[in-house]
């Protein structure tokens, strides 16, 4: 069964993986001038940079794999879970949706719970990010980690990122590493999703280990809204 935090990758770039974030249900979006034609339904949400190698607009194979494939030759067909549909990447966005083939894999909006507590946490909905909120995430590389939101509407000095959430473990313990991109930041107290993680802060490496104690996420609401018309509806599936 597919759930948040599992590794995914593009069929044509099987050695580079990111993470499943969550599953969303949209009433669809259509904008012919922008070449957007998203039909109503349920989709897997992740970062665009995780699956951009599957964008058919560039002539690529749209198939998405779970998990990543490190073998030789073409990836086996039974790893295919769906196809790239549409994505956005810019100063305020890094998100993409993938179709879900229910015949191949079932899905659920849940993530594994903390390491010493077997089972899963069900995602309870979405919420607005705020400074001081305690969050956790489950990513394909670093698994379950915890931190705190220390800034909202955060922009990098060069302006390449705007309106982001800055998340930091104040004790400088591990928060994220490469491969966690696309996972979601979840409120520790309510299991509501507040952000879509897209970047570790490489200026904040953890001591003696792989990864960083801080990173950036975009507000989950703004990322989900990219995939429905202004008067439409989008929610967790």
């Amino acid at each position: 069964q597919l759930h948040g935090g599992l590794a995914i990758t593009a069929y044509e770039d099987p050695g580079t993986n990111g993470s499943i974030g969550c599953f969303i249900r949209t009433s669809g979006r259509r904008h012919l001038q922008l070449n957007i034609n998203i039909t109503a339904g349920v989709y897997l949400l992740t970062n665009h940079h995780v699956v951009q190698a599957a964008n058919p607009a560039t002539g690529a194979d749209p198939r998405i794999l779970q998990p990543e494939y490190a073998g030789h030759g073409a990836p086996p067909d039974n790893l295919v879970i769906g196809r790239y549909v549409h994505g956005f990447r810019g100063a305020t966005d890094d998100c993409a949706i993938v179709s879900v083939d229910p015949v191949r894999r079932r899905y659920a909006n849940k993530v594994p719970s903390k390491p010493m507590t077997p089972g899963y946490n069900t995602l309870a909905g979405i919420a607005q990010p705020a400074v001081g909120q305690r969050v956790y995430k489950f990513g394909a590389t670093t698994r379950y980690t915890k931190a705190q939101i220390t800034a909202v509407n955060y922009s990098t000095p060069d302006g390449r990122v705007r309106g982001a959430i800055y998340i930091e473990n104040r004790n400088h313990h591990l928060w994220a590493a490469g491969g966690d991109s696309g996972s979601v930041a979840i409120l520790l107290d309510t299991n509501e999703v507040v952000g879509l993680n897209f970047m570790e802060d490489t200026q904040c490496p953890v001591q003696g280990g792989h990864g960083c104690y801080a990173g950036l996420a975009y507000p989950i609401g703004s990322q989900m809204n990219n995939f429905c018309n202004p008067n439409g509806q989008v929610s967790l599936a």
Side-chain angles (χ1 to χ4, degrees), residues 45-67:
L45 178 69
T46 188
N47 290 151
H48 186 262
H49 79 260
V50 169
V51 293
Q52 63 186 359
N55 186 352
T58 65
D61 188 315
R63 287 178 289 179
I64 302 298
L65 308 177
Q66 195 288 309

Side-chain angles (χ1 to χ4, degrees), residues 109-198:
N109 261 324
K110 62 183 184 180
V111 295
S113 55
K114 57 187 178 181
M116 300 306 294
T117 307
Y120 294 87
N121 294 335
T122 298
L123 303 181
I126 65 171
Q128 290 290 330
V131 172
Q133 289 173 333
R134 298 182 302 160
V135 296
Y136 72 94
K137 70 105 187 70
F138 193 94
T141 299
T142 63
R143 309 297 180 175
Y144 181 96
T145 58
K146 296 188 294 184
Q148 186 175 10
I149 294 177
T150 57
V152 295
N153 296 319
Y154 175 84
S155 299
T156 55
D158 60 10
R160 295 177 67 182
V161 172
R162 300 196 306 269
I165 310 166
Y166 195 86
I167 302 173
E168 180 180 359
N169 185 294
R170 291 296 185 87
N171 295 318
H172 292 188
H173 295 161
L174 181 65
W175 167 245
D180 291 334
S181 291
S183 64
V184 287
I186 307 163
L187 293 181
L188 192 63
D189 295 329
T190 65
N191 288 320
E192 294 173 295
V193 180
V194 291
L196 185 65
N197 299 308
F198 69 94

Side-chain angles (χ1 to χ4, degrees), residues 213-235:
Y213 63 82
L216 303 177
Y218 285 121
I220 191 65
S222 68
Q223 302 308 284
M224 289 170 57
N225 286 340
N226 282 316
F227 303 106
C228 74
N229 288 325
N231 296 322
Q233 294 182 335
V234 62
S235 63

